[in-house]
Amino acid sequence: MIVIGIDPGLSGAVAAVDSETRELYQVCDTPVLKVGKGREYHVSEMADLLRSIILGSSARVIIERAQPMPGQGVTSTFSTGMGYGIWIGVVGALGIPYSSVRPCDWTRKLLKGVPGEGKVRSILLASQIFPGIALTPPGCRKPRDGRADAACIAYYGVQT
């Protein structure tokens, strides 16, 4: 079975892990469209991405539940909630079983004892669990925490 972890933000990602071997199968950024100076979710590519990951295999999705965070702006909160809803709609339309997990639940279980602060911890853990994971996309200088979070969420799904 393939367990797919989704960080639903615009800068989020999708990661797939084989539940038997616990090996990372794929990690991709959330498909987005450039619209003017901003970005929007590219819904049809989101569906195509999930279809390409599954390819007839059994799968389940673990998606991080959107919730407002202290210091997060209204626009950012709305965008993340919108992404969460879109992903649930796409997953449901494709008939893939899913569950959601609160950020505090997966981080409490997986990041306990991992040194550092904030997103650095999920980047470190994802690098340890999945050596060779492509956290830094071509053309970027820094690792994407959305990719690390998605990989950790998928790993969380394998363990639960």
Side-chain angles (χ1 to χ4, degrees):
M1 174 179 281
I2 297 171
V3 178
I4 301 168
I6 299 176
D7 175 344
L10 274 170
S11 297
V14 176
V17 173
D18 182 305
S19 65
E20 291 181 28
T21 64
R22 294 186 177 214
E23 291 182 14
L24 184 68
Y25 174 70
Q26 187 172 357
V27 63
C28 307
D29 295 325
T30 296
V32 295
L33 291 165
K34 287 194 176 215
V35 178
K37 293 182 180 180
R39 300 176 300 155
E40 291 182 4
Y41 293 93
H42 195 315
V43 180
S44 62
E45 281 196 18
M46 293 162 74
D48 289 345
L49 174 60
L50 289 180
R51 278 191 209 99
S52 72
I53 291 171
I54 295 168
L55 289 175
S57 301
S58 62
R60 73 182 178 105
V61 168
I62 311 296
I63 184 168
E64 185 177 63
R65 185 177 300 148
Q67 61 187 41
M69 301 298 282
Q72 188 176 31
V74 175
T75 302
S76 178
T77 300
F78 177 78
S79 177
T80 302
M82 185 174 163
Y84 175 71
I86 290 170
W87 276 115
I88 287 178
V90 169
V91 168
L94 294 174
I96 306 168
Y98 75 91
S99 59
S100 62
V101 61
R102 295 182 313 163
C104 63
D105 291 337
W106 74 262
T107 57
R108 185 179 305 119
K109 181 172 181 163
L110 293 184
L111 300 180
K112 185 177 184 176
V114 176
E117 301 262 337
K119 297 293 187 177
V120 171
R121 295 170 68 210
S122 63
I123 290 170
L124 177 61
L125 181 66
S127 298
Q128 290 173 345
I129 295 171
F130 306 113
I133 184 173
L135 293 177
T136 307
C140 294
R141 286 182 261 149
K142 296 193 320 188
R144 290 249 173 105
D145 58 76
R147 288 181 174 204
D149 286 357
C152 289
I153 293 164
Y155 189 71
Y156 172 87
V158 167
Q159 294 184 334
T160 56

